[in-house]
Amino acid sequence: MTNRTFKAGDIVRHFKRSMLTEEELKENPTAYLYEVVGYAKHTETKEEFVVYKSLYSNSDGVFVGNLYIRPREMFESKVDIVKYPKSKQTYRFELF
């Protein structure tokens, strides 16, 4: 596991934000921004998860305030630069 702990209330950006054009950011200035709600642990497997909420809406069914969870290991992982060579971020989520 990485040592990239965020705290509740931190605003983070998903790496896909770094691939948006200035025009796209002008149209949706909070695109791919999330607020960390906290951490949760699976009661049986003990796997840790990050709970976070969307600060933007889009046509793909994402709405402001939607809650999401992602395994902590994945949340804190590096971007797959083979799959996403245009990403300007090192990590999947970074502090905004």
Side-chain angles (χ1 to χ4, degrees), residues 1-2 6-7 11-13 15-17 24-25 28-29 35 55 58 64 67-68 70 75 80 87-88 91-92 95:
M1 186 175 308
T2 67
F6 299 102
K7 61 184 182 305
I11 305 300
V12 295
R13 64 179 180 253
F15 75 90
K16 288 183 180 175
R17 181 177 173 86
E24 289 170 318
L25 285 172
N28 192 352
E35 180 181 345
L55 299 178
N58 69 17
V64 171
L67 290 176
Y68 299 96
R70 190 181 291 250
F75 192 91
D80 180 345
S87 175
K88 297 173 189 142
Y91 293 95
R92 183 179 298 270
L95 200 56

Side-chain angles (χ1 to χ4, degrees), residues 38-80:
Y39 291 85
K41 189 178 282 194
H42 192 289
T43 58
E44 293 182 17
T45 66
K46 306 302 182 212
E47 182 178 11
E48 286 189 271
F49 292 85
V50 178
V51 181
Y52 58 107
K53 71 178 177 180
S54 175
L55 299 178
Y56 71 101
S57 297
N58 69 17
S59 60
D60 293 331
V62 175
F63 297 101
V64 171
N66 279 6
L67 290 176
Y68 299 96
I69 64 168
R70 190 181 291 250
R72 181 177 180 175
E73 188 172 306
M74 181 188 291
F75 192 91
E76 297 176 354
S77 69
K78 289 187 173 185
V79 174
D80 180 345

